[in-house]
Amino acid sequence: MINTSTFLCILRRSTVAGAVVAAAVVVGPASANKDPVTPKQLKLYQEAFMEEVRKGDLLFHGDAAMAEQLGVKLSTTGWACAMCHPMASDTHPHAFPKFQQSMAKFATLRDMINWCIEKPNQGEKIDPESEAMKALEAYITWSNTGSVLVPGKY
Amino acid sequence: MSDELDRIRREMHAVLQQPGVRPDDSLQITRRTFIHRSLLFGAASVGQTFAWWPLLNTIDVAHAAEAPFKFAWISDTHLYPRSLNTRFVDKVVRAVQEVQAMDPPADFLIFGGDLAQLGKIEELELGVELLKDLKIKKYYIPGEHDWYLDMGKKWGELFGQPNWTFDHKGVRFIGLDTVSRGPDYWTAKKMTPEERMGHMATLDGTVAGAWAGVGREQLDWMQKTLADWDKSKPIVIFSHNPLYEYYPPWNFWVRDWREVNDVLKPYTKVTNIHGHVHQVLYNEIGSMRSIGMLATSWPWPYAPEGVPKLTKPMIRVDPGDPFDGVGWGTVNVNADDKVDVEYIMWGRKEVFVQSPEDHDKSIEEVIRPRIADNQYPWENP
């Protein structure tokens, strides 16, 4: 049986949820998810993704101009990510998150990227929310397209 | 496996793996482990925390003639200027110290290519300076990293002819140049020498193409060189790239492996020792066996496909330890017809996988080639 305070709580939550939905409808982009997707939209989405893949590919392969453009210093030794991970092999984005022995902690792919930047590459750790990080993540996951998710696997 | 790779693999199998054809029994690889005396160097010179358990995996090259002997192999040092990277320098110093300390001493050293990272004069000269401390006779073959900045000019000045041959205690040794015959990918795109080198120095690059090859005239030279050699006497061929097809996208092959096989087919005791792959590798191709050696600089992962079934893979490397997964090697030539290669992998008691989880491919992956080097300004016309 529902008592009064539980009822009021549900009512309050419903009101908040309703307000959020109403705001999304009023404020959100007018065309978002309302019309069937068009080939033009798909192309744009794909281009937006592939542009990040391209940037990530360049960063991953030690491209100095791209690192400068995105304001990062991924290495001070001449070493680039791709020198241990050609074609982003052995990066295993599909195995994260997992306990990562080298860090002795439960880690995400972004944690691992930063570990590699700091340790083998002796570069400067990057903001996990930065465009550089997202681009690296985009390239690594794109390159592993087709790999089957095995989160947690050693 | 891609259709193209699958086709090549089937062809290689049909051409080379004829029923009953395999290397002479005397050329079986043997593996043994023991603590290397270089242990003392490590403990004495650096206070590192990782285990000092170098493992030696020896190959004794065999022949029934003359005295047994041993020689050493160092390759893939990928030196940058000292001001940029001292880690790679430290590892060359260590390898040189250990080779110098061999007792009995090695008869000679083979340097298997990729002395420099970007082919710079400063890098090549640094390599010469570091190897100068090694007093035994040294032979050099080039790697692609040594070559494509000035197309082998400085390398030639330092080391002379890139291919050579000599006989030693009943074995014919041949050094091949498998790097200098890359297709011209730079002229039409008006690349600077640095840009040309940059593409060549990227293992997974898509621009330099199938650059690894022996070439017709060098094949003819090899044939002539072997013409007076008894078909049953041992031959050891050094090359930067493996003399078969393992994984072409990374030039883990020579593109003319069929022609190489044609030249070597009549000889029953052929051993190919190569660098470039930075990993433990073993294969038998027709009557030839092929052994991949460690780099001093860093280990490559095994390729996503094409690893020879006869390879017992090396152990998955700790990326936090710069001395793991790398090292050098020796080759023992015994009088009892046995060939032994010793892998000296620093910081490891076990070089080979001990369980499926020890293998870098224990996590299955599907990967694909990069794209950014084939877009503006380097897109194909």
Side-chain angles (χ1 to χ4, degrees), chain B residues 72-78 92 95 109-116 131 141 239-240 273-279 292-298 326-329:
Chain B
W73 167 284
I74 300 177
S75 75
D76 297 279
T77 52
H78 291 268
V92 180
L109 171 85
I110 303 294
F111 190 89
D114 285 351
L115 183 60
L131 287 161
I141 52 172
S239 55
H240 185 63
I273 297 176
H274 65 85
H276 187 59
V277 295
H278 301 199
Q279 61 193 222
M293 302 297 273
L294 299 175
T296 62
S297 52
W298 74 87
V326 294
W328 55 287

PDB file of all heavy atoms in Angstrom, chain B residues 72-78 92 95 109-116 131 141 239-240 273-279 292-298 326-329:
ATOM      1  N   ALA B  72      77.097 -12.928 -32.911  1.00  0.00           N
ATOM      2  CA  ALA B  72      76.042 -12.169 -32.236  1.00  0.00           C
ATOM      3  C   ALA B  72      75.245 -11.351 -33.232  1.00  0.00           C
ATOM      4  O   ALA B  72      75.728 -11.009 -34.314  1.00  0.00           O
ATOM      5  CB  ALA B  72      76.663 -11.244 -31.192  1.00  0.00           C
ATOM      6  N   TRP B  73      74.028 -11.045 -32.862  1.00  0.00           N
ATOM      7  CA  TRP B  73      73.117 -10.249 -33.702  1.00  0.00           C
ATOM      8  C   TRP B  73      72.547  -9.115 -32.872  1.00  0.00           C
ATOM      9  O   TRP B  73      72.037  -9.341 -31.769  1.00  0.00           O
ATOM     10  CB  TRP B  73      71.978 -11.129 -34.212  1.00  0.00           C
ATOM     11  CG  TRP B  73      70.819 -10.389 -34.827  1.00  0.00           C
ATOM     12  CD1 TRP B  73      69.839  -9.698 -34.149  1.00  0.00           C
ATOM     13  CD2 TRP B  73      70.502 -10.270 -36.213  1.00  0.00           C
ATOM     14  NE1 TRP B  73      68.930  -9.170 -35.040  1.00  0.00           N
ATOM     15  CE2 TRP B  73      69.314  -9.507 -36.311  1.00  0.00           C
ATOM     16  CE3 TRP B  73      71.094 -10.743 -37.387  1.00  0.00           C
ATOM     17  CZ2 TRP B  73      68.719  -9.203 -37.533  1.00  0.00           C
ATOM     18  CZ3 TRP B  73      70.498 -10.451 -38.600  1.00  0.00           C
ATOM     19  CH2 TRP B  73      69.318  -9.680 -38.672  1.00  0.00           C
ATOM     20  N   ILE B  74      72.637  -7.903 -33.396  1.00  0.00           N
ATOM     21  CA  ILE B  74      71.931  -6.752 -32.827  1.00  0.00           C
ATOM     22  C   ILE B  74      71.220  -6.078 -33.995  1.00  0.00           C
ATOM     23  O   ILE B  74      71.781  -5.966 -35.085  1.00  0.00           O
ATOM     24  CB  ILE B  74      72.888  -5.727 -32.157  1.00  0.00           C
ATOM     25  CG1 ILE B  74      73.670  -6.367 -31.011  1.00  0.00           C
ATOM     26  CG2 ILE B  74      72.111  -4.507 -31.650  1.00  0.00           C
ATOM     27  CD1 ILE B  74      74.690  -5.430 -30.365  1.00  0.00           C
ATOM     28  N   SER B  75      69.995  -5.635 -33.781  1.00  0.00           N
ATOM     29  CA  SER B  75      69.317  -4.900 -34.862  1.00  0.00           C
ATOM     30  C   SER B  75      68.233  -4.001 -34.313  1.00  0.00           C
ATOM     31  O   SER B  75      67.882  -4.067 -33.125  1.00  0.00           O
ATOM     32  CB  SER B  75      68.712  -5.869 -35.884  1.00  0.00           C
ATOM     33  OG  SER B  75      67.550  -6.466 -35.361  1.00  0.00           O
ATOM     34  N   ASP B  76      67.689  -3.184 -35.200  1.00  0.00           N
ATOM     35  CA  ASP B  76      66.513  -2.364 -34.894  1.00  0.00           C
ATOM     36  C   ASP B  76      66.716  -1.526 -33.632  1.00  0.00           C
ATOM     37  O   ASP B  76      65.907  -1.553 -32.722  1.00  0.00           O
ATOM     38  CB  ASP B  76      65.283  -3.267 -34.791  1.00  0.00           C
ATOM     39  CG  ASP B  76      64.991  -3.968 -36.113  1.00  0.00           C
ATOM     40  OD1 ASP B  76      64.388  -3.346 -36.992  1.00  0.00           O
ATOM     41  OD2 ASP B  76      65.409  -5.138 -36.270  1.00  0.00           O
ATOM     42  N   THR B  77      67.809  -0.788 -33.637  1.00  0.00           N
ATOM     43  CA  THR B  77      68.096   0.095 -32.501  1.00  0.00           C
ATOM     44  C   THR B  77      67.334   1.420 -32.619  1.00  0.00           C
ATOM     45  O   THR B  77      67.117   2.095 -31.627  1.00  0.00           O
ATOM     46  CB  THR B  77      69.602   0.387 -32.421  1.00  0.00           C
ATOM     47  OG1 THR B  77      70.039   0.861 -33.708  1.00  0.00           O
ATOM     48  CG2 THR B  77      70.385  -0.858 -32.079  1.00  0.00           C
ATOM     49  N   HIS B  78      66.957   1.792 -33.846  1.00  0.00           N
ATOM     50  CA  HIS B  78      66.104   2.966 -34.110  1.00  0.00           C
ATOM     51  C   HIS B  78      66.554   4.208 -33.342  1.00  0.00           C
ATOM     52  O   HIS B  78      65.746   4.878 -32.705  1.00  0.00           O
ATOM     53  CB  HIS B  78      64.645   2.638 -33.785  1.00  0.00           C
ATOM     54  CG  HIS B  78      64.039   1.647 -34.736  1.00  0.00           C
ATOM     55  ND1 HIS B  78      63.356   2.039 -35.856  1.00  0.00           N
ATOM     56  CD2 HIS B  78      64.047   0.293 -34.738  1.00  0.00           C
ATOM     57  CE1 HIS B  78      62.944   0.944 -36.519  1.00  0.00           C
ATOM     58  NE2 HIS B  78      63.356  -0.127 -35.863  1.00  0.00           N
ATOM     59  N   VAL B  92      71.236   0.189 -26.487  1.00  0.00           N
ATOM     60  CA  VAL B  92      72.341  -0.203 -27.371  1.00  0.00           C
ATOM     61  C   VAL B  92      73.612  -0.397 -26.536  1.00  0.00           C
ATOM     62  O   VAL B  92      74.346  -1.369 -26.722  1.00  0.00           O
ATOM     63  CB  VAL B  92      72.589   0.848 -28.477  1.00  0.00           C
ATOM     64  CG1 VAL B  92      73.740   0.414 -29.374  1.00  0.00           C
ATOM     65  CG2 VAL B  92      71.333   1.057 -29.309  1.00  0.00           C
ATOM     66  N   ALA B  95      73.404  -3.728 -24.873  1.00  0.00           N
ATOM     67  CA  ALA B  95      73.610  -4.850 -25.795  1.00  0.00           C
ATOM     68  C   ALA B  95      75.096  -4.963 -26.171  1.00  0.00           C
ATOM     69  O   ALA B  95      75.658  -6.063 -26.193  1.00  0.00           O
ATOM     70  CB  ALA B  95      72.756  -4.671 -27.043  1.00  0.00           C
ATOM     71  N   LEU B 109      79.891  -9.800 -35.296  1.00  0.00           N
ATOM     72  CA  LEU B 109      78.546  -9.271 -35.041  1.00  0.00           C
ATOM     73  C   LEU B 109      77.860  -8.991 -36.370  1.00  0.00           C
ATOM     74  O   LEU B 109      78.474  -8.462 -37.294  1.00  0.00           O
ATOM     75  CB  LEU B 109      78.615  -7.953 -34.259  1.00  0.00           C
ATOM     76  CG  LEU B 109      77.253  -7.237 -34.140  1.00  0.00           C
ATOM     77  CD1 LEU B 109      76.453  -7.769 -32.959  1.00  0.00           C
ATOM     78  CD2 LEU B 109      77.400  -5.725 -34.026  1.00  0.00           C
ATOM     79  N   ILE B 110      76.584  -9.342 -36.454  1.00  0.00           N
ATOM     80  CA  ILE B 110      75.772  -8.894 -37.577  1.00  0.00           C
ATOM     81  C   ILE B 110      74.862  -7.797 -37.057  1.00  0.00           C
ATOM     82  O   ILE B 110      74.146  -7.998 -36.064  1.00  0.00           O
ATOM     83  CB  ILE B 110      74.890 -10.038 -38.136  1.00  0.00           C
ATOM     84  CG1 ILE B 110      75.738 -11.237 -38.560  1.00  0.00           C
ATOM     85  CG2 ILE B 110      74.022  -9.529 -39.284  1.00  0.00           C
ATOM     86  CD1 ILE B 110      76.661 -10.988 -39.726  1.00  0.00           C
ATOM     87  N   PHE B 111      74.893  -6.646 -37.713  1.00  0.00           N
ATOM     88  CA  PHE B 111      73.903  -5.621 -37.391  1.00  0.00           C
ATOM     89  C   PHE B 111      72.822  -5.693 -38.456  1.00  0.00           C
ATOM     90  O   PHE B 111      73.072  -5.473 -39.641  1.00  0.00           O
ATOM     91  CB  PHE B 111      74.520  -4.216 -37.315  1.00  0.00           C
ATOM     92  CG  PHE B 111      73.514  -3.254 -36.752  1.00  0.00           C
ATOM     93  CD1 PHE B 111      73.420  -3.051 -35.390  1.00  0.00           C
ATOM     94  CD2 PHE B 111      72.579  -2.638 -37.587  1.00  0.00           C
ATOM     95  CE1 PHE B 111      72.438  -2.234 -34.853  1.00  0.00           C
ATOM     96  CE2 PHE B 111      71.592  -1.823 -37.063  1.00  0.00           C
ATOM     97  CZ  PHE B 111      71.525  -1.615 -35.698  1.00  0.00           C
ATOM     98  N   GLY B 112      71.594  -5.977 -38.019  1.00  0.00           N
ATOM     99  CA  GLY B 112      70.527  -6.347 -38.952  1.00  0.00           C
ATOM    100  C   GLY B 112      69.651  -5.224 -39.467  1.00  0.00           C
ATOM    101  O   GLY B 112      68.555  -5.474 -39.964  1.00  0.00           O
ATOM    102  N   GLY B 113      70.104  -3.974 -39.384  1.00  0.00           N
ATOM    103  CA  GLY B 113      69.357  -2.874 -39.991  1.00  0.00           C
ATOM    104  C   GLY B 113      68.543  -2.057 -39.007  1.00  0.00           C
ATOM    105  O   GLY B 113      68.303  -2.453 -37.874  1.00  0.00           O
ATOM    106  N   ASP B 114      68.110  -0.865 -39.493  1.00  0.00           N
ATOM    107  CA  ASP B 114      67.415   0.113 -38.667  1.00  0.00           C
ATOM    108  C   ASP B 114      68.269   0.557 -37.476  1.00  0.00           C
ATOM    109  O   ASP B 114      67.842   0.557 -36.318  1.00  0.00           O
ATOM    110  CB  ASP B 114      66.037  -0.383 -38.208  1.00  0.00           C
ATOM    111  CG  ASP B 114      65.013  -0.343 -39.334  1.00  0.00           C
ATOM    112  OD1 ASP B 114      65.322   0.227 -40.400  1.00  0.00           O
ATOM    113  OD2 ASP B 114      63.895  -0.870 -39.153  1.00  0.00           O
ATOM    114  N   LEU B 115      69.473   0.981 -37.826  1.00  0.00           N
ATOM    115  CA  LEU B 115      70.355   1.593 -36.828  1.00  0.00           C
ATOM    116  C   LEU B 115      69.750   2.933 -36.394  1.00  0.00           C
ATOM    117  O   LEU B 115      69.709   3.267 -35.230  1.00  0.00           O
ATOM    118  CB  LEU B 115      71.740   1.812 -37.468  1.00  0.00           C
ATOM    119  CG  LEU B 115      72.854   2.375 -36.617  1.00  0.00           C
ATOM    120  CD1 LEU B 115      73.159   1.468 -35.430  1.00  0.00           C
ATOM    121  CD2 LEU B 115      74.131   2.570 -37.458  1.00  0.00           C
ATOM    122  N   ALA B 116      69.271   3.706 -37.390  1.00  0.00           N
ATOM    123  CA  ALA B 116      68.693   5.032 -37.144  1.00  0.00           C
ATOM    124  C   ALA B 116      67.175   4.963 -37.183  1.00  0.00           C
ATOM    125  O   ALA B 116      66.597   4.010 -37.699  1.00  0.00           O
ATOM    126  CB  ALA B 116      69.177   5.994 -38.219  1.00  0.00           C
ATOM    127  N   LEU B 131      78.569   1.480 -31.300  1.00  0.00           N
ATOM    128  CA  LEU B 131      79.027   0.129 -31.653  1.00  0.00           C
ATOM    129  C   LEU B 131      80.551   0.040 -31.703  1.00  0.00           C
ATOM    130  O   LEU B 131      81.111  -1.045 -31.771  1.00  0.00           O
ATOM    131  CB  LEU B 131      78.420  -0.298 -32.993  1.00  0.00           C
ATOM    132  CG  LEU B 131      76.917  -0.635 -32.904  1.00  0.00           C
ATOM    133  CD1 LEU B 131      76.271  -0.606 -34.281  1.00  0.00           C
ATOM    134  CD2 LEU B 131      76.695  -1.997 -32.262  1.00  0.00           C
ATOM    135  N   ILE B 141      73.829  -4.770 -42.474  1.00  0.00           N
ATOM    136  CA  ILE B 141      72.877  -4.676 -43.589  1.00  0.00           C
ATOM    137  C   ILE B 141      71.923  -3.517 -43.258  1.00  0.00           C
ATOM    138  O   ILE B 141      71.711  -3.198 -42.085  1.00  0.00           O
ATOM    139  CB  ILE B 141      72.077  -5.988 -43.825  1.00  0.00           C
ATOM    140  CG1 ILE B 141      71.424  -6.477 -42.537  1.00  0.00           C
ATOM    141  CG2 ILE B 141      72.969  -7.048 -44.441  1.00  0.00           C
ATOM    142  CD1 ILE B 141      70.468  -7.655 -42.749  1.00  0.00           C
ATOM    143  N   SER B 239      68.865 -10.819 -43.578  1.00  0.00           N
ATOM    144  CA  SER B 239      68.070  -9.824 -44.296  1.00  0.00           C
ATOM    145  C   SER B 239      67.337  -8.992 -43.257  1.00  0.00           C
ATOM    146  O   SER B 239      67.101  -9.458 -42.136  1.00  0.00           O
ATOM    147  CB  SER B 239      67.076 -10.509 -45.236  1.00  0.00           C
ATOM    148  OG  SER B 239      66.272 -11.429 -44.530  1.00  0.00           O
ATOM    149  N   HIS B 240      66.991  -7.773 -43.621  1.00  0.00           N
ATOM    150  CA  HIS B 240      66.226  -6.981 -42.663  1.00  0.00           C
ATOM    151  C   HIS B 240      64.800  -7.529 -42.563  1.00  0.00           C
ATOM    152  O   HIS B 240      64.264  -7.698 -41.484  1.00  0.00           O
ATOM    153  CB  HIS B 240      66.217  -5.503 -43.076  1.00  0.00           C
ATOM    154  CG  HIS B 240      65.550  -4.629 -42.062  1.00  0.00           C
ATOM    155  ND1 HIS B 240      66.032  -4.480 -40.780  1.00  0.00           N
ATOM    156  CD2 HIS B 240      64.412  -3.881 -42.125  1.00  0.00           C
ATOM    157  CE1 HIS B 240      65.224  -3.670 -40.099  1.00  0.00           C
ATOM    158  NE2 HIS B 240      64.237  -3.299 -40.885  1.00  0.00           N
ATOM    159  N   ILE B 273      68.076 -15.316 -41.167  1.00  0.00           N
ATOM    160  CA  ILE B 273      67.925 -14.603 -39.891  1.00  0.00           C
ATOM    161  C   ILE B 273      67.610 -13.153 -40.224  1.00  0.00           C
ATOM    162  O   ILE B 273      68.318 -12.522 -41.011  1.00  0.00           O
ATOM    163  CB  ILE B 273      69.204 -14.733 -39.043  1.00  0.00           C
ATOM    164  CG1 ILE B 273      69.407 -16.224 -38.710  1.00  0.00           C
ATOM    165  CG2 ILE B 273      69.097 -13.913 -37.762  1.00  0.00           C
ATOM    166  CD1 ILE B 273      70.678 -16.514 -37.965  1.00  0.00           C
ATOM    167  N   HIS B 274      66.524 -12.656 -39.659  1.00  0.00           N
ATOM    168  CA  HIS B 274      66.069 -11.326 -40.058  1.00  0.00           C
ATOM    169  C   HIS B 274      65.640 -10.470 -38.865  1.00  0.00           C
ATOM    170  O   HIS B 274      65.357 -10.983 -37.779  1.00  0.00           O
ATOM    171  CB  HIS B 274      64.911 -11.443 -41.061  1.00  0.00           C
ATOM    172  CG  HIS B 274      63.663 -12.055 -40.482  1.00  0.00           C
ATOM    173  ND1 HIS B 274      62.732 -11.304 -39.801  1.00  0.00           N
ATOM    174  CD2 HIS B 274      63.207 -13.325 -40.469  1.00  0.00           C
ATOM    175  CE1 HIS B 274      61.749 -12.096 -39.408  1.00  0.00           C
ATOM    176  NE2 HIS B 274      62.014 -13.328 -39.794  1.00  0.00           N
ATOM    177  N   GLY B 275      65.579  -9.166 -39.104  1.00  0.00           N
ATOM    178  CA  GLY B 275      65.101  -8.204 -38.120  1.00  0.00           C
ATOM    179  C   GLY B 275      63.718  -7.710 -38.524  1.00  0.00           C
ATOM    180  O   GLY B 275      62.881  -8.483 -38.972  1.00  0.00           O
ATOM    181  N   HIS B 276      63.487  -6.403 -38.340  1.00  0.00           N
ATOM    182  CA  HIS B 276      62.295  -5.688 -38.789  1.00  0.00           C
ATOM    183  C   HIS B 276      61.031  -5.997 -37.994  1.00  0.00           C
ATOM    184  O   HIS B 276      60.226  -5.103 -37.751  1.00  0.00           O
ATOM    185  CB  HIS B 276      62.028  -5.938 -40.281  1.00  0.00           C
ATOM    186  CG  HIS B 276      60.920  -5.097 -40.849  1.00  0.00           C
ATOM    187  ND1 HIS B 276      60.938  -3.719 -40.831  1.00  0.00           N
ATOM    188  CD2 HIS B 276      59.745  -5.438 -41.444  1.00  0.00           C
ATOM    189  CE1 HIS B 276      59.838  -3.258 -41.402  1.00  0.00           C
ATOM    190  NE2 HIS B 276      59.092  -4.266 -41.764  1.00  0.00           N
ATOM    191  N   VAL B 277      60.831  -7.239 -37.599  1.00  0.00           N
ATOM    192  CA  VAL B 277      59.568  -7.600 -36.957  1.00  0.00           C
ATOM    193  C   VAL B 277      59.582  -7.341 -35.454  1.00  0.00           C
ATOM    194  O   VAL B 277      58.523  -7.341 -34.826  1.00  0.00           O
ATOM    195  CB  VAL B 277      59.196  -9.079 -37.229  1.00  0.00           C
ATOM    196  CG1 VAL B 277      58.937  -9.299 -38.707  1.00  0.00           C
ATOM    197  CG2 VAL B 277      60.289 -10.023 -36.748  1.00  0.00           C
ATOM    198  N   HIS B 278      60.752  -7.137 -34.879  1.00  0.00           N
ATOM    199  CA  HIS B 278      60.886  -6.851 -33.443  1.00  0.00           C
ATOM    200  C   HIS B 278      60.165  -7.903 -32.599  1.00  0.00           C
ATOM    201  O   HIS B 278      59.525  -7.557 -31.601  1.00  0.00           O
ATOM    202  CB  HIS B 278      60.302  -5.475 -33.087  1.00  0.00           C
ATOM    203  CG  HIS B 278      60.903  -4.300 -33.785  1.00  0.00           C
ATOM    204  ND1 HIS B 278      60.764  -3.000 -33.299  1.00  0.00           N
ATOM    205  CD2 HIS B 278      61.643  -4.178 -34.909  1.00  0.00           C
ATOM    206  CE1 HIS B 278      61.374  -2.158 -34.110  1.00  0.00           C
ATOM    207  NE2 HIS B 278      61.921  -2.834 -35.100  1.00  0.00           N
ATOM    208  N   GLN B 279      60.248  -9.153 -32.982  1.00  0.00           N
ATOM    209  CA  GLN B 279      59.522 -10.181 -32.227  1.00  0.00           C
ATOM    210  C   GLN B 279      60.119 -11.558 -32.503  1.00  0.00           C
ATOM    211  O   GLN B 279      60.792 -11.765 -33.512  1.00  0.00           O
ATOM    212  CB  GLN B 279      58.041 -10.186 -32.619  1.00  0.00           C
ATOM    213  CG  GLN B 279      57.805 -10.489 -34.059  1.00  0.00           C
ATOM    214  CD  GLN B 279      56.383 -10.210 -34.549  1.00  0.00           C
ATOM    215  OE1 GLN B 279      55.841 -10.999 -35.282  1.00  0.00           O
ATOM    216  NE2 GLN B 279      55.798  -9.082 -34.158  1.00  0.00           N
ATOM    217  N   GLY B 292      63.105 -14.792 -36.806  1.00  0.00           N
ATOM    218  CA  GLY B 292      63.001 -13.357 -36.534  1.00  0.00           C
ATOM    219  C   GLY B 292      63.661 -13.026 -35.217  1.00  0.00           C
ATOM    220  O   GLY B 292      63.524 -13.775 -34.247  1.00  0.00           O
ATOM    221  N   MET B 293      64.369 -11.904 -35.177  1.00  0.00           N
ATOM    222  CA  MET B 293      65.143 -11.547 -33.991  1.00  0.00           C
ATOM    223  C   MET B 293      64.526 -10.348 -33.266  1.00  0.00           C
ATOM    224  O   MET B 293      63.766  -9.571 -33.830  1.00  0.00           O
ATOM    225  CB  MET B 293      66.577 -11.229 -34.390  1.00  0.00           C
ATOM    226  CG  MET B 293      67.287 -12.386 -35.101  1.00  0.00           C
ATOM    227  SD  MET B 293      67.471 -13.870 -34.087  1.00  0.00           S
ATOM    228  CE  MET B 293      69.000 -13.521 -33.241  1.00  0.00           C
ATOM    229  N   LEU B 294      64.921 -10.192 -32.017  1.00  0.00           N
ATOM    230  CA  LEU B 294      64.409  -9.086 -31.206  1.00  0.00           C
ATOM    231  C   LEU B 294      65.061  -7.772 -31.615  1.00  0.00           C
ATOM    232  O   LEU B 294      66.183  -7.754 -32.095  1.00  0.00           O
ATOM    233  CB  LEU B 294      64.720  -9.332 -29.734  1.00  0.00           C
ATOM    234  CG  LEU B 294      64.121 -10.586 -29.098  1.00  0.00           C
ATOM    235  CD1 LEU B 294      64.641 -10.740 -27.669  1.00  0.00           C
ATOM    236  CD2 LEU B 294      62.603 -10.518 -29.111  1.00  0.00           C
ATOM    237  N   ALA B 295      64.347  -6.682 -31.386  1.00  0.00           N
ATOM    238  CA  ALA B 295      64.927  -5.340 -31.502  1.00  0.00           C
ATOM    239  C   ALA B 295      65.503  -4.956 -30.147  1.00  0.00           C
ATOM    240  O   ALA B 295      65.117  -5.529 -29.126  1.00  0.00           O
ATOM    241  CB  ALA B 295      63.843  -4.352 -31.893  1.00  0.00           C
ATOM    242  N   THR B 296      66.382  -3.970 -30.135  1.00  0.00           N
ATOM    243  CA  THR B 296      66.751  -3.408 -28.830  1.00  0.00           C
ATOM    244  C   THR B 296      65.797  -2.278 -28.446  1.00  0.00           C
ATOM    245  O   THR B 296      65.703  -1.915 -27.285  1.00  0.00           O
ATOM    246  CB  THR B 296      68.184  -2.832 -28.818  1.00  0.00           C
ATOM    247  OG1 THR B 296      68.262  -1.768 -29.769  1.00  0.00           O
ATOM    248  CG2 THR B 296      69.225  -3.890 -29.132  1.00  0.00           C
ATOM    249  N   SER B 297      65.102  -1.713 -29.439  1.00  0.00           N
ATOM    250  CA  SER B 297      64.336  -0.491 -29.200  1.00  0.00           C
ATOM    251  C   SER B 297      62.958  -0.728 -28.587  1.00  0.00           C
ATOM    252  O   SER B 297      62.653  -0.244 -27.509  1.00  0.00           O
ATOM    253  CB  SER B 297      64.185   0.271 -30.511  1.00  0.00           C
ATOM    254  OG  SER B 297      63.673  -0.593 -31.517  1.00  0.00           O
ATOM    255  N   TRP B 298      62.084  -1.432 -29.289  1.00  0.00           N
ATOM    256  CA  TRP B 298      60.753  -1.737 -28.748  1.00  0.00           C
ATOM    257  C   TRP B 298      60.202  -2.950 -29.492  1.00  0.00           C
ATOM    258  O   TRP B 298      60.619  -3.218 -30.622  1.00  0.00           O
ATOM    259  CB  TRP B 298      59.792  -0.545 -28.867  1.00  0.00           C
ATOM    260  CG  TRP B 298      59.289  -0.295 -30.252  1.00  0.00           C
ATOM    261  CD1 TRP B 298      58.202  -0.864 -30.852  1.00  0.00           C
ATOM    262  CD2 TRP B 298      59.848   0.596 -31.241  1.00  0.00           C
ATOM    263  NE1 TRP B 298      58.062  -0.398 -32.135  1.00  0.00           N
ATOM    264  CE2 TRP B 298      59.046   0.501 -32.403  1.00  0.00           C
ATOM    265  CE3 TRP B 298      60.947   1.450 -31.258  1.00  0.00           C
ATOM    266  CZ2 TRP B 298      59.317   1.223 -33.558  1.00  0.00           C
ATOM    267  CZ3 TRP B 298      61.218   2.166 -32.417  1.00  0.00           C
ATOM    268  CH2 TRP B 298      60.401   2.063 -33.548  1.00  0.00           C
ATOM    269  N   VAL B 326      62.535  -6.750 -25.479  1.00  0.00           N
ATOM    270  CA  VAL B 326      63.613  -6.347 -26.392  1.00  0.00           C
ATOM    271  C   VAL B 326      64.923  -6.990 -25.957  1.00  0.00           C
ATOM    272  O   VAL B 326      65.014  -7.540 -24.858  1.00  0.00           O
ATOM    273  CB  VAL B 326      63.784  -4.812 -26.445  1.00  0.00           C
ATOM    274  CG1 VAL B 326      62.560  -4.165 -27.062  1.00  0.00           C
ATOM    275  CG2 VAL B 326      64.039  -4.241 -25.043  1.00  0.00           C
ATOM    276  N   GLY B 327      65.922  -6.891 -26.808  1.00  0.00           N
ATOM    277  CA  GLY B 327      67.226  -7.456 -26.471  1.00  0.00           C
ATOM    278  C   GLY B 327      68.043  -7.711 -27.725  1.00  0.00           C
ATOM    279  O   GLY B 327      67.933  -6.981 -28.695  1.00  0.00           O
ATOM    280  N   TRP B 328      68.800  -8.763 -27.705  1.00  0.00           N
ATOM    281  CA  TRP B 328      69.656  -9.088 -28.846  1.00  0.00           C
ATOM    282  C   TRP B 328      69.712 -10.599 -28.990  1.00  0.00           C
ATOM    283  O   TRP B 328      68.834 -11.284 -28.461  1.00  0.00           O
ATOM    284  CB  TRP B 328      71.038  -8.451 -28.670  1.00  0.00           C
ATOM    285  CG  TRP B 328      71.752  -8.796 -27.408  1.00  0.00           C
ATOM    286  CD1 TRP B 328      71.445  -8.338 -26.151  1.00  0.00           C
ATOM    287  CD2 TRP B 328      72.855  -9.689 -27.256  1.00  0.00           C
ATOM    288  NE1 TRP B 328      72.293  -8.887 -25.233  1.00  0.00           N
ATOM    289  CE2 TRP B 328      73.181  -9.716 -25.878  1.00  0.00           C
ATOM    290  CE3 TRP B 328      73.618 -10.444 -28.127  1.00  0.00           C
ATOM    291  CZ2 TRP B 328      74.231 -10.489 -25.373  1.00  0.00           C
ATOM    292  CZ3 TRP B 328      74.674 -11.203 -27.624  1.00  0.00           C
ATOM    293  CH2 TRP B 328      74.970 -11.219 -26.268  1.00  0.00           C
ATOM    294  N   GLY B 329      70.668 -11.127 -29.720  1.00  0.00           N
ATOM    295  CA  GLY B 329      70.702 -12.570 -29.888  1.00  0.00           C
ATOM    296  C   GLY B 329      72.051 -13.076 -30.319  1.00  0.00           C
ATOM    297  O   GLY B 329      72.909 -12.312 -30.760  1.00  0.00           O
TER     298      GLY B 329
END
